[in-house]
Amino acid sequence: MALTSARLLTRTVHEKWICAHSLTLRPLVCINKAAFYGEYRRPGQAQDRTPPWKKIRFSFAKGVQGIRKHFGLLKDEAMERWVGPQGRPLIEHMLEQTRVQWEFRGPESLEQWLVSTDREIGGRSEAYLKLGRNDSACMLYGTLCSTPPRDGETCYSGYCTLRSRQLLSSFDRKKNIDWSSFNTLYIRLRGDGRPWMINIAAETYFSHQKDDLYNYFLYTRGGPYWQDVKIPFSKFFLSSRGRIQDNQHPLWLDKVSTIGFTLGDKADGPFQLEIDFIAVCNDRAHTEEFAYEMYKRNPEV
Amino acid sequence: MNSTRRCFVRFMMSTKALVPGASWPCSNLGPAAQILRTFRVSGTVAKKKSRPVRTGYDEKPERERSLVADDDDDDDPFERAAREAGTKAAFDGLLDVFVRRDVRRRGHVEFIYAALRKMPDFGVEHDIAVYNKLLDVFPKEVFVPRNFIQRMFNHYPRQQECAIQVLEQMENYGLMPNVETKVLLVQIFGEKSHPMRKYQRMMYWFPKFKHANPYPVPLQLPRDPVDLARFSLNRIAHDLDARVAVYQFPSTEVSETGEKVSRPHVVGIQSPEQRRLLAEHNPSRPVFVEGPFPLWLRKTCVHYYVLRADPLPPEEKVEESIDPERSFFYPLELDLDLDRDFGDLDSFDVDEVEEGPVFAMCMAGQADQATLAKWISGLQETNPILGRTPILFRLESGPRELQQATESEPEPSAEEEPLHSQGMKQ
């Protein structure tokens, strides 16, 4: 059961990544992000043979808007150095034991999240994200349907995913989150008894690692009460394209890019998950560095 | 030419001598037969078609003899047997028929793919013995690589992929392979083949996560709805002091007019803390019966109802101070003036979600107001305040009884929920 949910089809989610390396041209010229990595092409779908220069959409108004936004961000970045590292006072940077990374208060907090389902690969699941009453605690709801698309190649289907957007600093550079002073993930949520999976994507160096995810399971209890979940980062195991890897490695917390929640337990029907906040904390009682063997391949072959 | 062949024969013989535990299945045929066997491709049909499962399109004479056929073929033995008797015995019988039909097991890859697809129809997809029997269809020791070149390349790739598919289906149904699987895989593909690797991976990772769930659900849920309700309510109550009360057992009786009246079960749970909260509730404010809310136990969905109130407005909130004489043994509240700095702060900087208190939960066999009123009247015996409190029923459209729920639409409450939000937000 556990491995089953580990093999989630997270590929399409990855392709939503915003990747931007062209520093100067970015604000003025809008290049389709899919031009870099290519979107998921369903079996039977014709290949997009448009030359890349035809995808450039030149817009002067958008360029001015972009320059304004990015130089504003650049100014903020320059100014926050005077406050302290990462824009926070030094005492806070050194001594903080808990940090609330994402909280759902107000409609603008939903804009940091992406919802995707297997509809992208031709499935029939639905998922929606909305804010709870009193503008607190987001609610992810929908229907799961694990009927695979009838395209002759896809064998498995049925997932719904909530994924945080990649944070971007000025000129659309990736901004990663530094969690290296914490060792535990802390989530306050309320589910309906279904098992979910937490996916943490960290910044990688080589492009063949772009599908690497660190996963662990998130079991919900169900019922009307909130549930506090603490998961040490040492428990997260490495997977790539939904397959557990033989060579495991602990998650490097200094460059975390996104976090995601995936449902794929093959139980067709409605689901719901309410998340109050997602935080990290430093559990001083937890000393484990990595929960899986590293002195040999898993399994040894 | 002749010398090379003799050389090859000698090499084959020496390999056989080197492998101590190797027992050849048809050793009475002599070494010449073995050489023939090394060149034989077991899935002859598979070589011609790219799709392994589909076979017998363009080979008419082959089709009558083939055990495996297309989806839409009525002569598929699996479909026929599933229609007649979809049991484990029928499935085993089919495997036996195929194994006995041909010593060479011609077309076994297609047969195994077809069998894998039809396993849910026979209800054997959770049976490890059936998977082992399915792996047993592979001919033994034919696909074991015998020299380093074979070992280096993907030896009999289609057969290995097929065995991996068998293991993957086991994995998808949460089945852990056993020693018999391992022995079979070693016999069929050898020690370091791809299916063997897959087996090793499963045996490494499955036990790691076997007990990862802190809220375990048994594989076989209780059949009795009252027992199921008891289990689910204990799970969602998350309080060891909570007591389950059965307000009505399910029963069917014939009334005087001759109609059959079936009484649904009504099972509720309440903890002492919830009882205290209800006793402190202001009777002028209404309490709500809300539901049904879903709860998933593996693949089954049950629904429960909640008795709750709206959150208190800020002007009615009373700061409660703990009586210092409540416990003589240890202080319940400590206000020491310690020098604690930022590094000792372990709480999270978020606003609490404002929610009304939950007073009780219940599960019922029917989602109508009359059934839930039995629950409320049963609750009144232990919570007399419910007799003085207005109770509103906010029953949203249930999963099945859409019509009934609209009839029992309650009085318009202050805030109407949109249709999608049948969640348990306050």
Side-chain angles (χ1 to χ4, degrees), chain B residues 305-366:
Chain B
Y305 300 85
V306 167
L307 180 72
R308 73 189 324 162
D310 272 340
L312 276 179
E315 65 270 11
E316 277 190 31
K317 272 181 196 159
V318 199
E319 276 294 318
E320 221 177 273
S321 64
I322 298 174
D323 184 8
E325 294 182 4
R326 201 166 116 189
S327 165
F328 291 114
F329 303 105
Y330 53 88
L332 292 173
E333 209 173 32
L334 262 183
D335 193 13
L336 302 177
D337 193 15
L338 291 176
D339 259 347
R340 292 165 70 85
D341 69 350
F342 195 69
D344 300 314
L345 206 65
D346 277 337
S347 58
F348 292 94
D349 181 24
V350 278
D351 306 328
E352 283 284 312
V353 180
E354 286 285 318
E355 292 203 322
V358 175
F359 299 133
M361 287 163 281
C362 103
M363 286 173 71
Q366 272 178 23

Side-chain angles (χ1 to χ4, degrees), chain A residues 1-4 7 91-92 95-98 100 103 105 130 132-134 136-137 139 141 152 156 186 188 190-194 216-217 219-227 237 243-246 248 265-270 272 274 276-277 279-281 284 292-293 298-301, chain B residues 51 165 168-169 171-174 192 197-198 200-202 204-206 208-210 212-215 235-238 274 293-296 298-299 304 306 308 310-311 341-355 358 361 394 415 417-418 420-426:
Chain A
M1 188 67 216
L3 262 205
T4 316
R7 135 122 48 74
I91 187 84
E92 193 178 320
L95 288 181
E96 66 175 347
Q97 302 294 312
T98 62
V100 178
E103 56 178 331
R105 303 280 184 275
K130 69 169 182 132
R133 206 182 283 179
N134 297 341
S136 59
M139 178 156 169
Y141 64 98
Y156 308 109
Y186 191 101
R188 192 146 188 264
R190 184 160 62 181
D192 56 353
R194 286 190 187 235
Y216 200 69
F217 313 105
Y219 295 101
T220 58
R221 186 181 61 231
Y225 290 111
W226 287 98
Q227 178 187 352
F237 53 85
R243 301 267 175 186
I244 296 192
Q245 298 300 301
D246 286 351
Q248 288 291 322
D265 63 345
K266 292 188 198 136
D268 294 357
Q272 59 188 31
E274 286 164 89
D276 184 5
F277 64 87
V280 281
C281 66
R284 297 178 201 88
Y292 314 102
E293 284 101 325
N298 306 320
E300 197 172 20
V301 280
Chain B
R51 284 294 305 276
Q165 191 59 41
E168 186 164 318
Q169 184 156 335
E171 182 187 325
N172 280 341
Y173 284 111
K192 296 207 166 181
R197 300 273 161 96
K198 172 93 187 164
Q200 286 169 330
R201 285 182 189 121
M202 285 166 79
Y204 179 80
W205 288 107
F206 262 46
K208 287 237 181 281
F209 304 128
K210 198 171 182 183
N213 193 348
Y215 316 105
R235 176 184 166 117
I236 61 176
H238 195 51
Q274 288 171 338
F293 301 123
L295 170 71
W296 284 88
R298 285 186 197 269
K299 305 265 165 115
Y304 62 93
V306 167
R308 73 189 324 162
D310 272 340
D341 69 350
F342 195 69
D344 300 314
L345 206 65
D346 277 337
S347 58
F348 292 94
D349 181 24
V350 278
D351 306 328
E352 283 284 312
V353 180
E354 286 285 318
E355 292 203 322
V358 175
M361 287 163 281
R394 280 192 202 162
E415 317 164 57
E417 295 251 22
H420 289 309
S421 65
Q422 63 165 2
M424 30 195 145
K425 296 182 298 74
Q426 49 189 17

Side-chain angles (χ1 to χ4, degrees), chain B residues 406-420:
Chain B
T406 44
E407 281 167 15
S408 64
E409 193 63 32
E411 299 87 333
S413 54
E415 317 164 57
E416 277 297 324
E417 295 251 22
L419 190 70
H420 289 309

Side-chain angles (χ1 to χ4, degrees), chain B residues 61-238:
Chain B
E62 188 77 22
R63 188 170 183 163
E64 274 87 37
R65 284 186 284 115
S66 169
L67 260 175
V68 186
D70 312 315
D71 288 336
D72 44 10
D73 198 343
D74 283 340
D75 290 342
D76 187 351
F78 282 110
E79 290 217 339
R80 213 183 318 127
R83 255 183 277 120
E84 286 160 8
T87 58
K88 188 189 167 189
F91 196 82
D92 284 352
L94 278 172
L95 297 190
D96 286 336
V97 165
F98 181 80
V99 169
R100 260 187 275 118
R101 168 167 294 195
D102 188 3
V103 173
R104 290 173 292 278
R105 312 271 165 87
R106 190 164 293 246
H108 64 274
V109 171
E110 293 80 13
F111 179 78
I112 289 170
Y113 275 123
L116 279 180
R117 265 188 298 136
K118 297 293 175 194
M119 276 176 98
D121 298 348
F122 286 84
V124 291
E125 71 271 25
H126 290 289
D127 198 340
I128 178 73
V130 174
Y131 285 98
N132 285 339
K133 206 170 162 65
L134 202 56
L135 281 178
D136 207 8
V137 170
F138 280 108
K140 310 291 175 304
E141 311 198 1
V142 184
F143 310 135
V144 181
R146 299 180 188 192
N147 53 38
F148 73 97
I149 292 180
Q150 288 178 350
R151 203 162 287 132
M152 205 157 58
F153 292 101
N154 202 355
H155 197 45
Y156 282 101
R158 203 173 293 290
Q159 281 78 7
Q160 292 206 34
E161 276 167 21
C162 180
I164 287 176
Q165 191 59 41
V166 174
L167 289 171
E168 186 164 318
Q169 184 156 335
M170 284 169 75
E171 182 187 325
N172 280 341
Y173 284 111
L175 274 178
M176 197 155 89
N178 55 14
V179 182
E180 199 184 332
T181 320
K182 181 182 183 178
V183 171
L184 278 168
L185 287 175
V186 169
Q187 276 183 352
I188 300 164
F189 295 107
E191 283 283 356
K192 296 207 166 181
S193 54
H194 290 292
M196 198 59 205
R197 300 273 161 96
K198 172 93 187 164
Y199 165 83
Q200 286 169 330
R201 285 182 189 121
M202 285 166 79
M203 292 304 272
Y204 179 80
W205 288 107
F206 262 46
K208 287 237 181 281
F209 304 128
K210 198 171 182 183
H211 302 292
N213 193 348
Y215 316 105
V217 186
L219 264 176
Q220 288 288 329
L221 286 175
R223 290 284 175 82
D224 185 23
V226 176
D227 284 346
L228 184 64
R230 213 184 282 264
F231 172 77
S232 325
L233 286 173
N234 272 323
R235 176 184 166 117
I236 61 176
H238 195 51

Side-chain angles (χ1 to χ4, degrees), chain A residues 144-194:
Chain A
L144 193 76
C145 178
S146 54
T147 315
R150 294 180 63 89
D151 53 15
E153 286 184 31
T154 314
C155 318
Y156 308 109
S157 176
Y159 68 86
C160 294
T161 302
L162 176 71
R163 186 182 171 110
S164 71
R165 279 182 200 271
Q166 167 81 52
L167 295 179
L168 296 174
S169 58
S170 61
F171 302 107
D172 281 353
R173 287 171 299 154
K174 277 187 199 171
K175 190 163 88 182
N176 295 312
I177 309 163
D178 187 2
W179 282 345
S180 47
S181 52
F182 308 101
N183 63 4
T184 306
L185 184 71
Y186 191 101
I187 305 172
R188 192 146 188 264
L189 54 88
R190 184 160 62 181
D192 56 353
R194 286 190 187 235

Side-chain angles (χ1 to χ4, degrees), chain B residues 233-250:
Chain B
L233 286 173
N234 272 323
R235 176 184 166 117
I236 61 176
H238 195 51
D239 191 349
L240 291 179
D241 294 332
R243 288 287 163 265
V244 175
V246 183
Y247 297 105
Q248 182 172 289
F249 280 99

